[in-house]
Amino acid sequence: MIRRSFFGYLAAKLPYETVKGGLPDPVDTALPGEVTLQIQVGTDQKSLVDKKKTALKKGVEVQRGALYGLFDEETKNVSAPVSGTITSVETRTGNYGRHFALINIATSEEGETSPAFSDALEADTKGTESLAFLSQLPGRPPFTRLANDGIHTVILSALEQDLLTNVNQYALLARKTDFKRGADYIKELAPKARVVLALPKYLEAEAQDTGCETVGIKNLYPNGNPILLAGRLAGKPIEAGKTLEESGFLLFSAEAVAATGKALRTRSLPQEKLVTLTLKNKETRLVNARIGTPITQIFEAAGETLVKRDHLIVGGPLTGVSVYTPNFPVDPDTDAILCHGPENMPRLTDTYCINCGKCVRVCPANIPVNLLIRMLENGLYEEAVEKYDLDACVECGLCSFICVAKMPLFQQIMLARHTLAESKKSAEMGGSND
Amino acid sequence: MTDSTKLIVSHAPFYRDACTVMKRSYLIMAAALVALIPGWFLFGAPAVGVSALAVASSIFWELTANTLMKQQPTIGDGNAAMIGLILSMLLPATAPWWMVITGTFVAIIMSKIAFGGIGGNPFCPPALSAAVLTVSWPHLMNFNGMLVNYDMAWSMVDPLINVKFFGAETASLYPPLELLFGHQAGGIGAVCGAGLILGGIFLMIRGISSWEICLSFLGGVFVAAFLFNMSNPDLYAGPVFHLLTGYTLVGAFFLATEDSSSPVNLIPMLIYGFGGGMLTVLIRNKGVWVDGVLFAVLLMNLANPILDMIRPKALGKV
Ligand code: SF4
Ligand code: SF4
């Protein structure tokens, strides 16, 4: 899968999947008996969940397509992908100490979908209520932030976030009319912003009739990275350490745009997520799964069973996360799921950096990773930012991919960035008290 | 959500490039062998003995250090063997056994382990060790010493000594083709120019030795030798002679490119290589030492940390 040139002085070429071989036919998975919804929560909210002080709790009935608030009725942040009864609300702690609330729902018969969304559209197609619904679509489109005045460019991206998936290219081609409807809607919502469709070069001709300004981009990793993409569209890199939104960009994945179009057309929320599965024998399958479906079930539909000591990765081979249970759910932004046996576990070592310089050659952000890692290993995070540009990292994982010493570079980098972000947050909170 | 099927977790990325430190060491050793094998044929069994002893004693020193410091053995990464092999390229076939063992002690213990092991050494270990040997036992590291032991069909006087003390016209004793095929006195792995060039090209295209350093080093030697030659053709030999004699080619492909003591950014690599090449010729023509490669490489190693501060601005930084 990885084509590594014999000529090592050339960087490894990591092409994204394409849909050049014809559009795949997505496999539909059956309606799951239980779904799980994940919501990232802060530490204080985590204790609320642990003390069972949430609005959504065991025994509450939910209706498909309706919006609920996890903690109160006001901030609605959960859309039920199925009708059923909540069986439990728990928490889990993910990478770098991030907390998630998990809402488990036992599915009842596929009943009526809630009319709430079409009512909201009826009242005001562009109202806050409608946008709150649309934000729950597959791909998690950032509709609620479109109203922000600082946004000057909206990127509709048909590039993928990671290798081994082609869901966005598929969505652009197979759902073109819905995509166009969705894109037009976004243009109406942000009349002053430049709306650009970024897509792999080979699709440029196909996208003529979407009516969008298009920018063709080489279909090589990490060109689909949001920060790199924004820099390319703006003609200059976005300032190190700033988020996309702070720099005036928003990114909608092609799948999210198409889902928006479909939602407006059918007046109900699409809740099927496109996911590329990679099986143990390296075959890939495109599946269409209800949000919240446990991953085991999807693999079962594809004829693969997960056993103890397997490796299950959600989100792609370079930037994804590996999960500890096959019952992990499909999130609205899960594009790729791959599994492999223990024999394919990437080897990590605790040897030192040998200063070969490969990471420096490959880093799209020009970071001196060889020096940076020496700081990070010793926990000198502040120094890493000041002298070695930790804040410019675009989180692509290439340095770790290429590292000759097989050091956990990416893990160290991500840990440092999260630790710094956390301490910044708590400093701000402390500051607002006085 | 949890169930009893426990999966393995780890951090991204889940794909890893296949190149490891071990593979890298083995490839470098393979390239070194291309130049060493002709040397073994030319100088016979003693040369093979020197190389074998160098590799074995390097591994021994590293293992001893590991044991004494209660560390996991690190000899598996092939780095110690590689250092031994490269050191043996620089030694004369007549090197006595105790000198070889001292040499590897300096290379492994004093220039690598003392600085924290692989990746921490500020100097290229084989170069530092060979320089220490040259300073300590100049008569044993003198390739004219080989004269007594070898009776070859070609001139066995060290070409660099000849040119240094008897003027540039003696360079004509050494036609480039002869030098390429190893018909000269010199280090076991340093005489066969053709083998070194083949090995070097292999390392460069596999991305193991930075081509920037190799080529700029050779460029530096060429330019400096050319200028000297222009200024006084009677005194100073021409660039081709300098490229093919002494340690120039070993230096360019195996010593200057040593990972931890060489820069990783483009401009520093070019300055480092070019500077090393210029210094080499400068020392050869003006200094007291016959060959300048070792000292030039060590001097540039010293400048490496400062040089490597010249680097492109990171993305989005002002
Ligand atoms: S993850 Fe590594 S390669 Fe990618 S931008 Fe960050 S430092 Fe550079
Ligand atoms: S690739 Fe790994 S070993 Fe090489 S310089 Fe970078 S961190 Fe060090």
Side-chain angles (χ1 to χ4, degrees):
Chain A
M1 247 167 300
I2 301 287
R3 261 160 276 159
R4 185 82 169 93
S5 164
F6 174 79
F7 298 99
Y9 65 93
L10 300 172
K13 285 224 186 316
L14 302 177
Y16 292 109
E17 293 292 299
T18 61
V19 287
K20 279 184 191 158
L23 287 181
D25 208 6
V27 185
D28 280 307
T29 58
L31 184 69
E34 187 181 64
V35 298
T36 306
L37 303 179
Q38 296 200 73
I39 299 161
Q40 196 179 343
V41 293
T43 320
D44 42 334
Q45 291 173 320
K46 173 183 186 291
S47 54
L48 281 182
V49 180
D50 286 337
K51 286 183 206 136
K52 314 246 173 277
K53 289 199 181 131
T54 47
L56 284 181
K57 51 172 139 271
K58 190 173 170 185
V60 174
E61 301 264 339
V62 291
Q63 191 178 13
R64 176 177 182 203
L67 262 194
Y68 300 92
L70 174 58
F71 296 105
D72 51 56
E73 295 295 321
E74 298 305 308
T75 38
K76 298 196 183 234
N77 50 4
V78 188
S79 112
V82 294
S83 298
T85 321
I86 295 179
T87 52
S88 63
V89 179
E90 25 175 17
T91 53
R92 84 172 172 92
T93 304
N95 285 359
Y96 334 110
R98 284 177 303 181
H99 302 298
F100 294 87
L102 306 174
I103 306 160
N104 298 316
I105 306 170
T107 318
S108 53
E109 287 278 302
E110 182 84 317
E112 283 281 292
T113 37
S114 155
F117 176 58
S118 70
D119 290 350
L121 284 183
E122 211 64 55
D124 182 0
T125 331
K126 293 171 200 154
T128 350
E129 179 93 23
S130 307
L131 295 186
F133 273 103
L134 290 173
S135 306
Q136 301 294 328
L137 286 174
R140 286 218 172 106
F143 274 112
T144 46
R145 277 132 56 196
L146 256 185
N148 178 343
D149 275 338
I151 301 296
H152 53 71
T153 308
V154 177
I155 309 170
L156 313 179
S157 171
L159 286 145
E160 310 300 342
Q161 288 308 306
D162 205 329
L163 304 177
L164 289 184
T165 171
N166 52 13
V167 295
N168 287 322
Q169 298 163 67
Y170 174 86
L172 176 65
L173 285 196
R175 302 173 175 173
K176 210 185 273 174
T177 40
D178 279 339
F179 180 89
K180 187 168 181 322
R181 188 175 288 115
D184 290 342
Y185 178 69
I186 292 170
K187 283 182 207 159
E188 282 169 32
L189 282 174
K192 279 178 282 169
R194 170 186 176 204
V195 179
V196 203
L197 169 57
L199 76 181
K201 272 216 175 86
Y202 78 101
L203 285 179
E204 254 177 317
E206 305 265 3
Q208 296 288 308
D209 43 355
T210 56
C212 295
E213 175 196 349
T214 59
V215 176
I217 288 180
K218 245 196 200 158
N219 208 21
L220 281 182
Y221 192 81
N223 291 348
N225 181 293
I227 305 240
L228 294 178
L229 212 50
R232 181 169 300 204
L233 295 180
K236 64 171 195 319
I238 77 170
E239 204 181 310
K242 285 211 170 161
T243 62
L244 269 196
E245 210 179 327
E246 283 164 0
S247 323
F249 293 88
L250 274 186
L251 184 130
F252 288 72
S253 70
E255 189 192 4
V257 180
T260 309
K262 187 171 177 198
L264 297 172
R265 173 165 60 87
T266 61
R267 311 218 137 227
S268 71
L269 285 183
Q271 290 174 310
E272 247 84 47
K273 175 74 185 95
L274 280 172
V275 186
T276 313
L277 283 193
T278 305
L279 309 179
K280 284 183 199 165
N281 59 8
K282 312 268 187 235
E283 269 175 40
T284 57
R285 298 272 161 78
L286 191 64
V287 297
N288 215 358
R290 188 67 59 90
I291 289 170
T293 309
I295 289 173
T296 9
Q297 211 167 319
I298 303 178
F299 274 108
E300 262 162 36
E304 180 90 71
T305 356
L306 290 168
V307 296
K308 202 172 152 188
R309 291 177 56 72
D310 276 350
H311 210 194
L312 178 61
I313 296 138
V314 176
L318 285 176
T319 55
V321 290
S322 66
V323 297
Y324 56 92
T325 165
N327 284 343
F328 203 84
V330 172
D331 282 340
D333 50 5
T334 305
D335 289 348
I337 302 176
L338 40 147
C339 78
H340 45 68
E343 67 284 356
N344 285 331
M345 270 293 282
R347 246 167 33 96
L348 283 178
T349 66
D350 56 355
T351 45
Y352 308 112
C353 164
I354 63 164
N355 205 42
C356 66
K358 285 204 169 182
C359 50
V360 180
R361 279 174 203 252
V362 85
C363 178
N366 289 335
I367 292 174
V369 189
N370 59 332
L371 302 175
L372 174 70
I373 189 63
R374 290 173 160 83
M375 297 298 128
L376 299 184
E377 279 185 322
N378 294 302
L380 302 171
Y381 292 168
E382 306 285 340
E383 207 168 339
V385 176
E386 276 160 31
K387 290 204 193 129
Y388 303 108
D389 305 316
L390 178 63
D391 52 343
C393 173
V394 299
E395 306 187 350
C396 68
L398 280 177
C399 49
S400 220
F401 166 77
I402 206 86
C403 180
V404 170
K406 301 282 166 275
M407 300 169 76
L409 298 179
F410 194 39
Q411 186 169 8
Q412 293 271 21
I413 290 173
M414 295 298 280
L415 180 64
R417 285 169 66 88
H418 274 270
T419 313
L420 287 171
E422 283 300 308
S423 56
K424 195 169 147 202
K425 228 191 271 166
S426 61
E428 271 166 16
M429 288 218 281
S432 62
N433 281 345
D434 51 47
Chain B
M1 179 178 92
T2 36
D3 81 349
S4 55
T5 315
K6 294 271 186 293
L7 304 175
I8 302 182
V9 290
S10 64
H11 195 277
F14 304 99
Y15 278 180
R16 289 262 166 165
D17 192 63
C19 188
T20 59
V21 179
M22 187 177 84
K23 267 196 197 154
R24 222 176 141 83
S25 306
Y26 286 156
L27 286 178
I28 295 178
M29 285 196 269
L33 283 178
V34 180
L36 265 168
I37 291 175
W40 292 341
F41 273 106
L42 290 172
F43 301 123
V48 182
V50 168
S51 296
L53 183 60
V55 173
S57 57
S58 292
I59 296 177
F60 171 78
W61 288 126
E62 180 145 321
L63 193 60
T64 312
N66 291 152
T67 319
L68 289 180
M69 298 195 301
K70 299 200 172 54
Q71 289 172 334
Q72 285 287 323
T74 51
I75 48 173
D77 63 19
N79 188 263
M82 181 192 95
I83 292 176
L85 200 68
I86 294 182
L87 176 63
S88 81
M89 296 170 83
L90 307 174
L91 297 176
T94 48
W97 62 268
W98 52 266
M99 192 170 94
V100 177
I101 293 180
T102 319
T104 52
F105 179 82
V106 175
I108 299 291
I109 305 287
M110 284 164 62
S111 26
K112 182 179 150 193
I113 305 280
F115 292 104
I118 190 165
N121 46 300
F123 297 104
C124 167
L128 184 61
S129 160
V132 168
L133 296 181
T134 311
V135 176
S136 312
W137 296 286
H139 57 287
L140 289 176
M141 285 295 280
N142 184 327
F143 297 111
N144 274 350
M146 298 165 92
L147 271 177
V148 270
N149 297 334
Y150 288 96
D151 184 18
M152 301 281 197
W154 60 87
S155 167
M156 268 309 279
V157 182
D158 184 344
L160 285 174
I161 298 184
N162 235 347
V163 165
K164 188 161 185 105
F165 299 108
F166 303 101
E169 72 272 22
T170 49
S172 58
L173 281 175
Y174 308 95
L177 218 55
E178 292 273 294
L179 294 175
L180 273 179
F181 289 117
H183 293 177
Q184 57 174 320
I188 302 169
V191 288
C192 179
L196 283 166
I197 292 171
L198 278 181
I201 291 175
F202 172 74
L203 289 182
M204 285 193 291
I205 62 175
R206 290 308 308 269
I208 291 172
S209 295
S210 323
W211 59 267
E212 294 91 338
I213 296 182
C214 301
L215 298 186
S216 60
F217 189 93
L218 296 176
V221 170
F222 188 92
V223 168
F226 182 75
L227 291 179
F228 269 109
N229 185 242
M230 290 284 281
S231 72
N232 189 346
D234 293 334
L235 212 53
Y236 304 118
V240 175
F241 174 83
H242 276 291
L243 282 177
L244 295 178
T245 52
Y247 293 148
T248 310
L249 290 170
V250 193
F253 295 125
F254 293 94
L255 302 181
T257 53
E258 199 272 331
D259 290 322
S260 115
S261 51
S262 65
V264 297
N265 290 305
L266 177 67
I267 296 184
M269 284 198 280
L270 295 177
I271 301 178
Y272 170 93
F274 197 80
M278 297 277 271
L279 273 175
T280 298
V281 175
L282 205 65
I283 298 175
R284 279 185 187 177
N285 286 346
K286 290 284 178 198
V288 291
W289 298 100
V290 177
D291 196 350
V293 172
L294 299 177
F295 302 104
V297 168
L298 294 176
L299 279 173
M300 293 318 285
N301 284 168
L302 207 57
N304 162 40
I306 302 163
L307 282 179
D308 225 8
M309 288 204 287
I310 311 170
R311 58 184 176 85
K313 228 178 261 147
L315 194 75
K317 287 275 196 174
V318 277

